[in-house]
Amino acid sequence: MATRDFSRLNGSFDLCIIGGGINGAGLARDAAMRGLSVALVEKGDFASGTSSQSSKLIHGGIRYLQNGDFKLVFEALHERWMLTKLAPHLVRPLQFLLPVLKSDPVQGLMLKAGLTLYDTLAGFHNIHGHRMLSRSQVLEAEPTLDTSQISSGAYYYDCQMNDSRLCLENVLSSMEHGAVCVNHAAVTEFVKAGPQLVGAVVQDRLSGATATVHFKVAVNATGPWSDQILRLSEPTPPKPRLRPSKGIHVVVPRRTSGEAMLVRTRDQRVIFVLPWGRYSLVGTTETEYRDDPDKVSASEDDVMYLLEELRRLFPSPAVDRKDVFGTFAGLRPLVDSSSLPAGKLSREHSIITETSGLLTVIGGKYTTYRVVARELADRVMERLHKPGASLTHTVPLYGGDTGPMPAFLARHLARAVSVTGLESTAEHVLRAYGSRADDVLRCCQEVPRGTERLCLHTDTMRGEVAYAFTTEMAQTVEDFMLRRTWIGYGECGGRDAWPAVREVLVDHLGRDADAMDAQWLDVNKRSGNVSNPAT
Ligand code: FAD
């Protein structure tokens, strides 16, 4: 059971990681598995920054082939395969329909060449080879596409993931290896010996308490916030390194009949229309962002851009503003390496040693987090003069010890159904928690009416509220509604589930009712659930 213990930060560690997004969480796991003493502090919830706002794809990034980023694509395709082994419950293969529009510059042989290269770069670890499709095959697959625009198409394959839970599982796994990880804890100041950093003052954003973490090495893994940390840490802060680029997604009623889709936009970008439970997740946009990273949100222009592209593809029934259930907005922490537009900037990561000794990591993709973590941990070991190689490729993630999912489901579904009473809730538990599903089912049995669904829009059960708060370090209503689960992004914005969530929090876990009500009011602001505001 992972518990948040802020007071444990008052101590000495080999490594202090600032930022609990996927890069910080991945590093915590890698370093703790090598035997280092590790502290990780995250000012919000784990994955509350960019790492819960992604397109939720573990992918090679087919569009980067156009930029000639072959090394990145090759590495990402290898990681795609690796993550299907390490976290099969959270990373699953997905078929993509790529409809070619008459206006697309890439057609026929050129498209075939690109997809062949993508398959080749995946090598023996490919999910499935691509298949070219005729116009009628595309329309048969997606009959509601605008028939007048389609010229041909193709199927290709990548993976879909649960970004916030994959990040969380890295945190939980690192804690099993001894790391001290604390969410809602922000670094506010550094302790220095001359120019060198030797400690960090951390503020508990829940209680207001402070702690001082002493460390031998510190890593700045704050993604879009990394320039802010540099302003605190460096004797002479360097000029901003980041060119943050905002990307948003909208959650709308399901538009595709099953597969994911990748389509070219009128301004020659690509967007995804992804199956996401009973919804479609549509995105993303790419616009320069210079404001405070804490304030990033989807603007009306961003939302309308995506809706117009969606209406162009699927003219009937046309998706309207009122059909948008929720929005995501995140910042790509891109390295400011050239004057190219954000869409053309490389997704390669960069690790910089600052004058103060701080290691800063920026850039990269979610997909390649394990590679970034390994490289960072290698650098830390070098600094500490300690031997030890990365083990993250050998040990499954926190709930990942399932083996192939179809066989796992076949083995465990009947028993899970005997506990939950419904096949859909049983399957949800097995897929969300993988090899930890039994712990969750036990917890659900201990909570009054714990195996009942929170509402009709979700398969999440009442007992999972207790599990999230007691075992997965959820601290606030938002942590539960937007990251341990995605209930807050759904069609009722979590409104229908809230009475049951509240009951478990207040009656079963003894939380203060007024505090919970106040936190609930904040959830809809963050989820962008404007069509169904909280009442
Ligand atoms: P973050 O996740 O932002 O983590 C940094 C953390 O630092 C934050 O949680 C923040 O709260 C914390 N922090 C800040 N200041 C402090 C402080 N003072 N003290 C303590 N903590 C602090 N990649 C893919 O591979 N696949 C995709 O489908 C994909 N889609 C994307 C879609 C969009 C719209 C965007 C924006 C990115 C996408 N990416 C994707 C890229 C990927 O999501 C990011 O590269 C990755 O999430 C970055 O993780 P990070 O840990 O560096 O940053």
Side-chain angles (χ1 to χ4, degrees), residues 1 15 60 83 88 91 94 214 268 289 291 299 377 405 408 523:
M1 177 186 295
L15 170 65
L83 288 170
V91 180
L94 187 64
H214 290 276
Q268 300 307 319
Y289 184 86
D291 209 345
S299 71
M405 266 323 260
F408 176 75
V523 170

Side-chain angles (χ1 to χ4, degrees), residues 433-446:
Y433 305 93
S435 47
R436 306 279 167 160
D438 272 349
D439 296 346
V440 181
L441 291 173
R442 250 191 314 277
C443 179
C444 289
Q445 285 173 306
E446 285 161 12

Side-chain angles (χ1 to χ4, degrees), residues 18-23 41-44 48-51 53-57 59 185-187 221-225 229 247 249 284 330-332 364-367:
I18 311 162
I22 190 59
N23 281 331
V41 289
E42 162 54 52
K43 77 168 179 172
S48 58
T50 315
S51 298
Q53 308 291 304
S54 79
S55 301
K56 307 179 198 314
L57 296 176
H59 61 162
V187 167
T222 56
W225 288 265
I229 292 292
H249 292 85
T284 172
L331 295 175
R332 298 173 189 85
K365 284 157 58 73
Y366 201 117
T367 305

Side-chain angles (χ1 to χ4, degrees), residues 62 65-66 70 73 77 98 100 106-122 130-132 153-156:
I62 200 160
L65 290 179
Q66 279 183 324
F70 301 134
V73 175
L77 287 170
L98 197 160
V100 179
V106 180
Q107 304 263 346
L109 280 178
M110 244 169 101
L111 177 66
K112 171 122 192 98
L115 291 172
T116 306
L117 178 58
Y118 200 60
D119 287 340
T120 309
L121 288 172
H130 75 276
R131 184 154 72 90
M132 299 304 287
Y155 279 134
Y156 78 97

Side-chain angles (χ1 to χ4, degrees), residues 469-505:
F469 278 78
T470 56
T471 307
E472 294 188 325
M473 284 200 290
Q475 302 297 319
T476 68
V477 174
E478 183 189 296
D479 296 350
F480 177 74
M481 290 293 218
L482 302 187
R483 285 174 295 276
R484 301 303 176 281
T485 70
W486 287 325
I487 294 170
Y489 293 109
E491 57 199 286
C492 69
R495 237 180 340 161
D496 292 353
W498 172 238
V501 174
R502 187 181 186 279
E503 208 172 290
V504 178
L505 286 172

